[in-house]
């Protein structure tokens, strides 16, 4: 595999920090640029993020002395130094849209953790095991942007990564409706218990914008390319509630699902066990060998015990049983800053690299 130089835009934030740790010894990608807000420009990564370092692993030695660039003012210079960038900035949505398009138009591909472009018609929003074919829309996006190399690709919301992968292999039975209640870790808000002590012994039954994303994003992931845009799937009907809970990492979902053709419990378990996708076929560096993992124990999966399964890139499932209102119910768990955020974006970048989109 060819080697690529990459940048992290928004390097000082929590997801940017996670990108740094994931890319430290990556076999294909080498971080050559770190960028953040104007107030961080000219500082070393250690100076800019040191006191706010939120990862349990230390800051990569290779990045400590790297001097940060201005994510907005230095776009042309950054684009000249890298083959593509990961974007995880904390800005207003319209500002993020403009920033990411500016990088793309500077012929610098963007793999984004942000939500700003998730519903742009020709921007693929990809869970690599589920809809890898959506990257083919990049050709149409480049035509719109007038670029030869530049484009934007995004990963989906962290909350849907917990339950949509478990539903994917069951779609052949005709999923008609889904109810998902997600219990989301504080790192999803970029917080730790030190920075958000109000969350200790607390639960907040509202996360701004999260329920709309959780109900609509799966329909784009399950959609299809028609001409120069991705058309959302018309079904299933999805309703969600999203709660913030006092957990450091790991989003849990309680899922209820009904089908056109109700499968047996054994059929569902077989689907989960046998499911794999293009990342597994290509043996991408961050692809979990077993994507979906079912636990027989009644008290699993648990965030503290199971979120780091397969480097935090696998999905854990448990408590499958029949329901009185829906056909079945079960519980899912995924690591929200790994599979759900930076790790999912790195896996998407690996897919794009393997398919030649950065060349």
């Amino acid at each position: 595999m060819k080697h690529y130089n990459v940048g992290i835009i928004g390097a000082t934030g929590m997801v940017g920090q996670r990108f740094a740790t994931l890319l430290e010894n990556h076999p294909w990608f080498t971080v050559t640029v770190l960028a953040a807000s104007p107030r961080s420009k000219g500082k070393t990564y250690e100076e800019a993020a040191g006191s706010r370092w939120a990862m349990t692993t230390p800051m990569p030695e290779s990045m400590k002395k790297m001097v940060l660039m201005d994510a907005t003012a230095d776009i042309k210079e950054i684009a000249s130094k890298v083959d593509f960038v990961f974007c995880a900035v904390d800005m207003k949505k319209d500002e993020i849209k403009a920033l990411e398009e500016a990088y793309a138009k500077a012929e610098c591909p963007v793999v984004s953790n942000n939500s700003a472009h998730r519903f742009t018609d020709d921007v693929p929003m990809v869970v690599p095991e589920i809809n890898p074919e959506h990257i083919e829309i990049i050709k149409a996006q480049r035509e719109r942007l007038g670029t030869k190399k530049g484009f934007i690709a995004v990963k989906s919301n962290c909350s849907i990564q917990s339950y949509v992968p478990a539903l994917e292999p069951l779609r052949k039975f005709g999923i008609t409706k889904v109810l998902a209640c997600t219990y989301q870790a504080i790192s999803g808000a970029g917080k730790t218990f030190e920075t958000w002590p109000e969350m200790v012994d607390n639960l907040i039954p509202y996360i701004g914008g999260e329920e709309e994303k959780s109900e609509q994003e799966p329909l784009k992931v399950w959609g299809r390319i028609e001409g120069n845009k991705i058309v959302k799937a018309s079904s299933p009907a999805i309703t969600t509630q999203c709660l913030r809970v006092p957990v450091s990492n790991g989003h849990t979902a309680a899922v209820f699902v009904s089908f056109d053709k109700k499968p047996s419990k054994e059929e569902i378990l077989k689907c989960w066990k046998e499911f794999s996708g293009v990342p597994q076929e290509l043996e991408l560096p961050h692809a979990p060998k077993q994507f979906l993992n079912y636990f027989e124990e009644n008290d699993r999966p648990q965030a503290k015990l199971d979120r780091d399964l397969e480097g935090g890139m696998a999905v854990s499932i448990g408590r499958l049983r029949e329901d009185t209102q829906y056909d079945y119910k079960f519980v899912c768990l995924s690591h929200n800053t790994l599979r759900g955020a930076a790790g999912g974006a790195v896996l998407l970048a690996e897919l794009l690299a393997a398919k030649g989109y950065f060349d």
Side-chain angles (χ1 to χ4, degrees):
M1 173 56 65
K2 182 181 170 182
H3 211 82
Y4 298 92
N5 291 328
V6 307
I8 303 174
I9 311 302
T12 56
M14 184 173 280
V15 176
Q17 293 176 24
R18 182 67 79 180
F19 274 125
T21 62
L22 288 174
L23 296 169
E24 182 178 11
N25 297 303
H26 197 282
W28 303 353
F29 307 148
T30 300
V31 176
T32 56
V33 169
L34 298 173
S37 65
R39 65 180 177 273
S40 294
K41 181 174 180 174
K43 295 179 182 178
T44 65
Y45 195 30
E46 194 172 31
E47 290 168 341
S51 62
R52 294 185 289 122
W53 187 256
M55 301 294 104
T56 55
T57 51
M59 181 180 287
E61 285 294 331
S62 60
M63 300 181 204
K64 281 184 177 179
K65 302 304 178 189
M66 289 180 67
V67 176
L68 270 73
M69 301 181 72
D70 186 325
T72 304
D74 298 333
I75 291 173
K76 285 188 177 179
E77 187 179 352
I78 292 169
S80 71
K81 294 175 180 288
V82 299
D83 295 299
F84 70 95
V85 296
F86 292 103
C87 190
V89 294
D90 183 11
M91 299 164 64
K92 293 177 181 176
K93 189 167 286 191
D94 57 343
E95 293 173 348
I96 296 172
K97 269 191 167 183
L99 181 73
E100 292 181 344
E101 278 212 1
Y103 275 95
K105 287 178 177 176
E107 300 294 357
C108 180
V110 178
V111 179
S112 179
N113 182 76
N114 302 302
S115 65
H117 275 291
R118 286 184 192 152
F119 286 104
T120 302
D121 287 342
D122 57 10
V123 171
M125 179 172 65
V126 178
V127 180
E129 285 89 350
I130 296 176
N131 62 328
E133 72 282 358
H134 281 195
I135 64 175
E136 294 167 17
I137 198 68
I138 287 170
K139 182 177 183 293
Q141 186 194 142
R142 282 172 168 162
E143 289 174 3
R144 174 177 65 84
L145 294 174
T147 60
K148 291 182 179 179
K149 183 184 175 188
F151 65 86
I152 303 161
V154 302
K155 54 151 286 297
S156 67
N157 187 267
C158 52
S159 64
I160 78 165
Q161 302 272 358
S162 57
Y163 63 90
V164 168
L167 293 172
E168 169 63 18
L170 309 182
R171 291 176 66 213
K172 64 184 179 182
F173 301 112
I175 298 173
T176 57
K177 59 179 181 175
V178 175
L179 164 63
C181 294
T182 59
Y183 305 88
Q184 301 185 202
I186 63 173
S187 55
K191 305 284 189 179
T192 64
F193 287 116
E194 288 72 30
T195 61
W196 201 4
E198 297 87 353
M199 274 307 301
V200 175
D201 191 31
N202 196 14
L203 179 153
I204 299 175
Y206 173 73
I207 306 172
E210 203 74 2
E211 286 156 6
E212 295 85 348
K213 295 173 188 173
S214 299
E215 293 170 358
Q216 293 301 314
E217 288 189 20
L219 300 178
K220 183 172 181 180
V221 169
W222 285 328
R224 65 193 184 281
I225 295 175
E226 284 189 11
N228 61 357
K229 63 182 179 179
I230 296 168
V231 177
K232 289 196 301 182
S234 57
S235 63
I238 304 171
T239 186
T240 66
Q241 284 211 114
C242 301
L243 296 82
R244 188 72 72 193
V245 294
V247 171
S248 59
N249 290 297
H251 286 357
T252 299
V255 185
F256 302 76
V257 58
S258 290
F259 301 92
D260 271 333
K261 302 170 186 174
K262 182 180 177 181
S264 67
K265 182 178 178 181
E266 291 69 31
E267 285 177 308
I268 292 175
L269 293 174
K270 185 172 186 284
C271 285
W272 286 339
K273 185 176 182 180
E274 295 178 353
F275 181 62
S276 67
V278 170
Q280 286 72 34
E281 293 168 21
L282 296 176
E283 297 182 346
L284 300 178
H286 276 84
K289 288 183 172 59
Q290 181 65 40
F291 183 30
L292 306 178
N293 297 264
Y294 186 77
F295 288 84
E296 295 287 351
E297 300 92 331
N298 283 330
D299 62 350
R300 302 284 285 279
Q302 293 181 28
K304 188 176 283 190
L305 297 179
D306 304 312
R307 61 192 170 206
D308 292 317
L309 190 63
E310 297 238 25
M313 292 299 289
V315 173
S316 301
I317 313 169
R319 302 205 70 207
L320 174 66
R321 60 224 191 271
E322 292 193 55
D323 184 61
T324 57
Q325 306 298 313
Y326 289 72
D327 287 335
Y328 286 99
K329 54 190 171 187
F330 52 88
V331 174
C332 293
L333 167 74
S334 66
H335 196 304
N336 56 295
T337 70
L338 288 167
R339 166 57 71 168
V346 171
L347 186 62
L348 171 54
E350 291 168 355
L351 173 67
L352 291 162
K355 296 292 185 179
Y357 280 86
F358 299 135
D359 300 332

